[in-house]
Amino acid sequence: MNTPTAFKDRLASELSAMATATAPASVAAAPVRRLRVPLMAAGVATAAAAAAVILPSVSGSGASPAYAVTEEDDGSVVVDLNRPEGLPGLQKQLKELGIRAVAQQGDKDCAAGYPGGWALAKAVLTYPSDPGKVRIYPDRLPVRIAEGSRPSGHDATADGNKKPDDVQRPAPTLLLVADFEKDGTVRTLTDWVVNEVPSCSLPGRREG
């Protein structure tokens, strides 16, 4: 009767000793895991702080954009050209807005002279104090023009017999001709309405 009781007591003592021996190891491991978390968080915070410093230095060059196109509430479109490299993007942006437009750099040696067209003061407004800026009213640009006539209301046609609405050409194109100073700033930005876009044009505005 004493043997089973002694065996149980010894077994209980051994199990208690094993539990006492393993418990400190698990308790000691917990602080190691807790220490790793703050170190990782500190690393993320350091990276974020570095990005906040680097990004402004990359994008904040301070240079004005080569061009800008802004749609206004009244339906007009404001064009602001600053440098020659802005001409292609300016032309693309105007076409995306549904405006038939070509922007080209004026050539003082152009044998064709000035464009074979005319300006529409009510459709395109210029800013004397800002030569690279114009305001375009797309709804005032002619959609189609009669053969031999101008969109100013002239009734004469090429044959002299038909009404302007009877003989028509495709929609004319708004031509913007830019002239630049030696430092790349805009000297003049003139507008023309042309039936055919010339390969080159003299800059500025012809007299008369």
Side-chain angles (χ1 to χ4, degrees):
M1 297 293 293
N2 293 332
T3 300
T5 302
F7 174 76
K8 290 180 180 180
D9 292 341
R10 187 170 60 253
L11 180 60
S13 299
E14 291 177 355
L15 290 174
S16 177
M18 291 175 63
T20 303
T22 56
S26 61
V27 171
V32 176
R33 290 194 297 271
R34 287 197 298 270
L35 289 174
R36 289 175 185 169
V37 174
L39 289 175
M40 293 174 62
V44 172
T46 303
V53 173
I54 293 172
L55 289 178
S57 66
V58 172
S59 58
S61 60
S64 59
Y67 77 97
V69 176
T70 307
E71 291 185 273
E72 300 293 336
D73 293 338
D74 62 355
S76 65
V77 175
V78 176
V79 169
D80 196 351
L81 179 65
N82 294 309
R83 294 191 299 278
E85 58 267 29
L87 286 171
L90 169 62
Q91 177 176 316
K92 180 180 179 182
Q93 189 68 42
L94 290 175
K95 287 190 174 182
E96 289 178 354
L97 294 175
I99 301 174
R100 290 174 56 91
V102 170
Q104 64 178 214
Q105 184 168 347
D107 181 4
K108 294 182 177 63
D109 299 322
C110 180
Y114 292 101
W118 52 90
L120 295 175
K122 293 182 179 181
V124 183
L125 303 181
T126 58
Y127 294 81
S129 60
D130 192 347
K133 185 177 180 181
V134 298
R135 181 183 294 268
I136 303 170
Y137 291 88
D139 59 337
R140 299 179 187 177
L141 293 172
V143 178
R144 303 182 73 86
I145 63 172
E147 185 78 29
S149 68
R150 294 186 176 185
S152 58
H154 291 212
D155 294 331
T157 60
D159 56 18
N161 296 319
K162 296 182 179 180
K163 296 180 180 180
D165 293 338
D166 295 334
V167 181
Q168 293 182 326
R169 292 181 178 179
T173 300
L174 173 63
L175 175 63
L176 298 175
V177 181
D179 185 29
F180 298 91
E181 304 284 358
K182 292 182 178 180
D183 61 358
T185 58
V186 181
R187 179 187 291 121
T188 60
L189 179 61
T190 52
D191 60 282
W192 305 85
V193 177
V194 297
N195 294 327
E196 297 181 2
V197 178
S199 59
C200 69
S201 174
L202 290 176
R205 181 77 69 194
R206 63 175 170 228
E207 299 295 333

